[in-house]
Amino acid sequence: MSLKHILKLILKQKSISILIIFQVAITLMIVSNSAYISYATLQNWLIPSKLEEKQILNVVTNVYDEQVDKGQLIERDLTAIRALPEVISATYSGEENVIDTRRSSNAVYTDNLDEHAKDHATGLFGVDQQGVSSLMLNISSGRDFYANEFVTGDAATTPASVALISDDLAKALFEDASPLGQTVFLNTAKTPYQIIGTFEDKMLGEVATYEQVWYHSMVIPEAIYGRNNEINYIIRVEPNTSEKILETLETQLYQEPGRIVSRVEFSARAKKRLWDGRSSFAFVMFAISALALLITSLGIIALVTFSVKMRHKNFGILRALGASKHMVLKSLIIENSLLALVGLVIGFFLSLWLNIALLRTLAVQGTPDIIVGLLVTLFVWLLTCFAAYLPARKATLIAPAQVTKAS
């Protein structure tokens, strides 16, 4: 049977053809985006944090009593925490905690005059004199903070003037030029900081990680409180410290009235929580994809079966005119392959639209990957061909005698 004749048959059955095309397009749209999200999630899980995840703890608290002197509270907390035998160092966390899902985004610029200057997402850490030790940073160039460069106080305090940045952020900001002595500008206020050193890459900031700039981070010598009611700490403990330390710390912090202890955890737990939401979304998309594939398969089987039933007499005539079973089967497979091809083309554009919508509205990770997209497209196409094969094979069993009997 010629391709021209097959196209005529497709046009003759417009309703069935449109339904098959629609099912294939919707299936590709859903399955491809599920694959993109799942693939991105897997890639994220495999990226090394380069963190000592079982030695760095996050402590998140919230002061609800406005009468509490936050500055004195921080001093008492740090004195008590640092006195614990398992604790090596502890710092007040003026900005983010280690890969903790709480903060809004922070950005640095290399130009404070250009309104359109590129911003670089970063994990921002305001710390006291034990901050570098608590984050377990290794200085790779330049120097550490001097004692007189640390700033302590409330929200009205003048910010510090120097900063350390990660090697990866330094490369993004200055490419091959030395970052030492350069000035960067923080957030929309364009607060200036001079870079005095860089440190080896670690996955520190939650927002930076979410933005897929895994090792962008900046440390400033600022222990400034009062910007909100949170008073948080980053603690470094001895290797192989038992999780009993979490209960010890929580009990210690609860001795101070007027506040809630929201979370005490190893950064390993924070990292797991960071990806839990993304993984859950990927599993939901996977379940929807499996359902879409099942519905598409059953739908195509039903539609092709109905089409075969409607053309029962035509197939009998073809057999009477000498068409072999193989020719009848081949014509039906080609017919449905062409419909699937049209559906796949439409589904390609729909999948791009859905991907953009997901990235913008839900901020999921999962940009299109060419190889993944081709594999999904091939899989959907093979599935539609297999679904069409089952009822098409029944059409080959129609004997010429059946046509004569029906007439």
Side-chain angles (χ1 to χ4, degrees), residues 116-319:
H116 304 289
K118 179 177 174 54
D119 62 305
H120 297 263
T122 185
L124 179 64
F125 294 83
V127 299
D128 64 18
Q129 294 188 28
Q130 291 195 15
V132 171
S133 172
S134 299
L135 289 168
M136 301 182 70
L137 303 181
N138 298 314
I139 304 299
S140 54
S141 68
R143 63 173 175 83
D144 197 348
F145 300 120
Y146 292 146
N148 62 356
E149 290 173 329
F150 286 91
V151 172
T152 303
D154 59 20
T157 304
T158 302
S161 59
V162 295
L164 295 171
I165 63 174
S166 63
D167 289 332
D168 195 51
L169 180 58
K171 186 173 180 60
L173 291 171
F174 305 107
E175 298 181 350
D176 295 328
S178 172
L180 302 180
Q182 302 274 15
T183 300
V184 295
F185 304 89
L186 184 62
N187 294 328
T188 54
K190 300 292 180 69
T191 307
Y193 292 89
Q194 185 183 56
I195 300 172
I196 59 166
T198 64
F199 54 86
E200 294 176 5
D201 294 330
K202 291 178 183 289
M203 189 184 287
L204 293 175
E206 186 272 337
V207 174
T209 302
Y210 192 79
E211 293 289 336
Q212 300 186 52
V213 283
W214 319 105
Y215 307 120
H216 280 197
S217 49
M218 177 175 175
V219 179
I220 51 181
E222 296 178 11
I224 297 177
Y225 61 87
R227 291 169 177 164
N228 51 52
N229 289 327
E230 287 188 349
I231 293 182
N232 307 321
Y233 306 100
I234 297 171
I235 304 168
R236 175 186 175 185
V237 296
E238 296 283 356
N240 304 314
T241 297
S242 167
E243 290 200 357
K244 289 182 179 179
I245 186 65
L246 305 179
E247 184 179 349
T248 301
L249 283 167
E250 191 167 353
T251 302
Q252 180 70 52
L253 294 168
Y254 264 123
Q255 291 179 10
E256 290 282 354
R259 66 143 164 237
I260 298 171
V261 181
S262 303
R263 198 156 54 241
V264 180
E265 64 183 5
F266 283 101
S267 56
R269 179 68 186 89
K271 181 173 180 285
K272 181 180 184 300
R273 190 177 61 254
L274 174 66
W275 298 121
D276 276 349
R278 286 72 166 172
S279 301
S280 298
F281 190 78
F283 283 125
V284 169
M285 289 293 291
F286 180 79
I288 294 173
S289 297
L291 183 62
L293 289 170
L294 178 62
I295 292 173
T296 298
S297 301
L298 295 176
I300 290 175
I301 290 172
L303 289 169
V304 176
T305 300
F306 182 67
S307 175
V308 168
K309 189 174 182 180
M310 287 181 62
R311 291 186 284 171
H312 185 274
K313 188 174 182 178
N314 293 338
F315 290 126
I317 292 173
L318 283 174
R319 296 283 288 114

Side-chain angles (χ1 to χ4, degrees), residues 286-356:
F286 180 79
I288 294 173
S289 297
L291 183 62
L293 289 170
L294 178 62
I295 292 173
T296 298
S297 301
L298 295 176
I300 290 175
I301 290 172
L303 289 169
V304 176
T305 300
F306 182 67
S307 175
V308 168
K309 189 174 182 180
M310 287 181 62
R311 291 186 284 171
H312 185 274
K313 188 174 182 178
N314 293 338
F315 290 126
I317 292 173
L318 283 174
R319 296 283 288 114
L321 292 174
S324 65
K325 293 181 179 181
H326 176 72
M327 288 179 62
V328 173
L329 179 64
K330 182 180 177 182
S331 66
L332 280 169
I333 295 297
I334 293 174
E335 178 182 326
N336 284 279
S337 295
L338 291 174
L339 293 174
L341 182 61
V342 175
L344 292 174
V345 172
I346 296 173
F348 170 77
F349 291 103
L350 287 176
S351 66
L352 291 180
W353 169 80
L354 179 60
N355 189 265
I356 292 171

Side-chain angles (χ1 to χ4, degrees), residues 38 227 362:
S38 300
R227 291 169 177 164
L362 299 179

Side-chain angles (χ1 to χ4, degrees), residues 378-393:
L378 179 62
F379 177 77
V380 173
W381 182 75
L382 290 174
L383 181 70
T384 55
C385 289
F386 177 75
Y389 173 81
L390 299 177
R393 194 170 182 279

